[in-house]
Amino acid sequence: MDSQISQASQAPQASGSPQPPHTFQVDLRGLVDLLSHHLYSSPKVYLRELLQNAVDAITARRAEDPDAPAHVRLSVEAGGLRVEDTGVGLTEADVHNLLATIGRSSKRAEGLQEARSDFLGQFGIGLLACFVVAERIRVVSRSARTPDTPPVEWTARDDGSYTVRTLPDEARPEPGTTVHLVARTGSAEWLAEERVLSLARDFGSLLPYDVRVGKEAVTELPAPWDRAYPSPAARRVALARHCHDLFGFTPLDSVDLDVPLAGVRGVAYVLPSAVSPAQRAGHRVHLKGMLLTERAEQLLPDWAFFVRCVLDTDSLRPTASRESLYEDETLAGVREALGERIRGWLTGLAAGDPERLAAFLSVHHLGVKALARHDREMLRTMLPWLPFETTDGRLSLEEFAQRHPVVHFTRTVEEYRQVAPIASAQGIGVVNGGYTYDSELVEALPAVRPGTVVAELDADTVTAHLDAVDPAEELALSGFLAAARARLDPLGCDVVLRAFHPLSVPALHLDDRESRHEQARAEAESGADDLWAGILGSLRGSAPRARLVLNHLNPLVRRIGSLGETELIGTAVESLYGQALLMAQRQLRPADSALLNRAFLGLLEWATHDDSTEGSGR
């Protein structure tokens, strides 16, 4: 904000003598620029400030006279807007004190300087926000506290100047205030009747008094979630319509958000399609009926990203811009209480409406998993319902644990894809824990289902479940196995012969995270300079190597095992290695890609080899 400092006296002062105080003088044009470009997100907030002042004035009057009239009327005039209220009004002293003093609010408690809870405004910015769209503001007001005094007129311009004068009684015969705005150049659209009506309905639909733009009603009370309906079905339909009008989607369901101790009433609408947990939800929050923000992000726990809320509160604190919520203990408490309401809704569905719960989980299982990983009771409740990818199909952990004495799981999708077909054929139950939250929930299973055994699946476990080959047959294939191992040794991979189902799988590539880390270290060491290679060499671990498990039951493996030429055996084994990597959908290293290319060309060469060509000398 640009400020000028005026001195009380320009006379020189004696050294050491008290200096007279200086006073800040605000450059109103600079302040308006600050408001419009930095404090407020849009010029539309001018109408909210007008409605706020009118509602607070009526609240103040009704505190002294409960039977006083309570209405606000907005009328579009040529080149401007008129807002009239039946509030408490202002005296001439009030005008000088409140309308022309930045930062002073009429709603501050004596001595404590805290905003009274009955009022909307707190920061003393008041009518200044109207200068975002107006070049001139004229206020005519008559005080209800001193009705015998004449009405007073305050006229201010955006250059910072203002005038005050008294008017004859007929200018404002009844207590209350009328505000006239004259549009700034380029801002006339904000004062057009259609725009004013739209903004008034958006900001003021839940205000407690009768607000109209011309003859059109703005307020719609009671709120949709507080209205009486002929049946629960009719209420669901009405709330679904309200959600569609407000957010643009038809919800899967609605959740009442009633927290009387926190002064919160509203509803949460369940999104009909899945969203990312990282996507920040925008909720609509009304403060004592006035719309505060459409983009409240911190209102609900992070796990409740599958709902959009609209609510009214009288306890949460707004920021100075009145476009977001102040993060304090009250907001933290409300957030926890609203989370409990959504948690209770889920528990109720699990207990009494499994069809609706299944429909919800088919879309938003990720959100419930995010909640369940921190809430053991919710995990226990949702065990029969949350879906997981397993070797038995898509099942809940409860059903899967009933089928298998040991619940094996993998930590990555790649590991699961390596072992799923083989593990299923061997009767090993495996859960794919590679998706978000899944491995954490599987590991938490024994805590909510006592007696359940959970174990991470590794290559040794899978290999141990595969049938060993007859020693005599394996001895007969020792030459073949030696050639195969020699070919894959540079890749850090062993070769093992086993018999397993399904027969159609010729080879299985097995490794674990430790072996992959060792492969990455060895690859980095081979391409490093002497110093860095020495450092990486010192980190060499004893982790088990990856292994290529050849299926002795597969006809192709049997034919390859009968080959007598070492080079052809190597090419065939490299081809099986590459095919096993592709089947596991593993990301290929440069060395793996080079191997696949070499094996492919080698097989083409053997397939097109012609002995008669060599014999003829051509």
Side-chain angles (χ1 to χ4, degrees), residues 3 72 104 192 235 264 270 277 304 328 383 392 514 517 529 534 564:
S3 298
V72 182
R104 180 175 297 171
R235 186 176 190 271
V264 172
V270 181
D328 58 9
L383 268 182
D392 291 354
E514 291 184 354
H517 291 164
D529 56 34

Side-chain angles (χ1 to χ4, degrees), residues 511-524:
D511 63 1
D512 51 29
R513 283 172 297 163
E514 291 184 354
S515 64
R516 286 197 294 274
H517 291 164
E518 176 61 20
Q519 285 180 347
R521 186 210 59 77
E523 190 172 343

Side-chain angles (χ1 to χ4, degrees), residues 483 487 563-574 598 602 606:
R487 182 59 68 98
L563 295 174
E565 191 168 335
T566 302
E567 187 61 30
L568 182 55
I569 290 174
T571 300
V573 170
E574 285 181 339
R598 183 172 65 248
W606 280 100

Side-chain angles (χ1 to χ4, degrees), residues 217-302:
V218 169
T219 49
E220 299 178 4
L221 295 177
W225 50 85
D226 285 330
R227 295 172 191 167
Y229 296 97
S231 67
R235 186 176 190 271
R236 281 198 297 270
V237 171
L239 290 179
R241 187 183 306 114
H242 176 247
C243 176
H244 190 274
D245 293 342
L246 211 57
F247 295 114
F249 65 85
T250 300
L252 283 178
D253 206 347
S254 57
V255 185
D256 285 323
L257 302 178
D258 183 9
V259 188
L261 291 178
V264 172
R265 286 282 295 162
V267 63
Y269 293 116
V270 181
L271 290 164
S273 56
V275 293
S276 167
Q279 181 176 328
R280 305 302 298 176
H283 307 293
R284 288 177 65 95
V285 178
H286 295 255
L287 180 61
K288 304 179 186 71
M290 180 74 74
L291 178 66
L292 179 68
T293 178
E294 300 173 280
R295 299 183 300 274
E297 295 182 350
Q298 67 273 51
L299 187 64
L300 294 180
D302 290 340

Side-chain angles (χ1 to χ4, degrees), residues 433-449:
Y435 296 115
T436 307
Y437 311 131
D438 283 9
S439 62
E440 297 173 72
L441 293 177
V442 175
E443 288 182 297
L445 193 54
V448 297
R449 195 178 187 275

Side-chain angles (χ1 to χ4, degrees), residues 160-410:
S161 64
Y162 73 92
T163 60
V164 178
R165 63 180 181 133
T166 58
L167 299 177
D169 286 346
E170 57 269 20
R172 178 83 204 196
E174 298 295 330
T177 300
T178 303
V179 179
H180 302 265
L181 301 185
V182 176
R184 299 179 66 170
T185 302
S187 297
E189 61 173 305
W190 292 103
L191 303 181
E193 185 167 5
E194 185 176 348
R195 178 64 67 88
V196 170
L197 178 60
S198 174
L199 292 178
R201 284 176 171 166
D202 201 32
F203 283 120
S205 62
L206 300 184
L207 289 174
Y209 307 126
D210 178 22
V211 181
R212 295 177 182 271
V213 176
K215 296 181 179 180
E216 297 288 336
V218 169
T219 49
E220 299 178 4
L221 295 177
W225 50 85
D226 285 330
R227 295 172 191 167
Y229 296 97
S231 67
R235 186 176 190 271
R236 281 198 297 270
V237 171
L239 290 179
R241 187 183 306 114
H242 176 247
C243 176
H244 190 274
D245 293 342
L246 211 57
F247 295 114
F249 65 85
T250 300
L252 283 178
D253 206 347
S254 57
V255 185
D256 285 323
L257 302 178
D258 183 9
V259 188
L261 291 178
V264 172
R265 286 282 295 162
V267 63
Y269 293 116
V270 181
L271 290 164
S273 56
V275 293
S276 167
Q279 181 176 328
R280 305 302 298 176
H283 307 293
R284 288 177 65 95
V285 178
H286 295 255
L287 180 61
K288 304 179 186 71
M290 180 74 74
L291 178 66
L292 179 68
T293 178
E294 300 173 280
R295 299 183 300 274
E297 295 182 350
Q298 67 273 51
L299 187 64
L300 294 180
D302 290 340
W303 55 261
F305 56 83
F306 50 83
V307 298
R308 296 291 180 270
C309 294
V310 54
L311 55 81
D312 188 26
T313 176
D314 59 16
S315 63
L316 299 178
R317 292 173 56 194
T319 58
S321 68
R322 293 182 50 78
E323 294 184 323
S324 59
L325 297 171
Y326 187 81
E327 184 69 47
D328 58 9
E329 292 182 359
T330 302
L331 179 57
V334 168
R335 180 163 50 234
E336 183 177 350
L338 295 181
E340 285 294 330
R341 295 297 183 274
I342 298 174
R343 183 184 287 106
W345 167 76
L346 285 170
T347 303
L349 286 186
D353 201 338
E355 290 186 4
R356 285 171 68 198
L357 178 62
F360 166 75
L361 288 178
S362 67
V363 179
H364 295 299
H365 58 273
L366 193 59
V368 180
K369 287 179 178 180
L371 168 60
R373 65 195 269 257
H374 296 299
D375 188 328
R376 292 292 180 260
E377 189 58 38
M378 180 55 62
L379 177 57
R380 183 179 291 107
T381 301
M382 289 293 142
L383 268 182
W385 309 104
L386 284 174
F388 288 79
E389 183 180 357
T390 77
T391 49
D392 291 354
R394 199 158 181 81
L395 298 175
S396 69
L397 287 181
E398 176 69 27
E399 185 176 356
F400 189 80
Q402 290 173 358
R403 295 185 182 187
H404 298 277
V406 178
V407 178
H408 290 98
F409 73 98
T410 62

Side-chain angles (χ1 to χ4, degrees), residues 70-98:
H71 62 257
V72 182
R73 298 291 182 262
L74 295 89
S75 305
V76 174
E77 304 175 322
L81 176 68
R82 183 177 80 250
V83 181
E84 185 176 4
D85 68 68
T86 57
V88 70
L90 301 170
T91 64
E92 183 173 352
D94 292 334
V95 166
H96 286 288
N97 263 342
L98 303 175

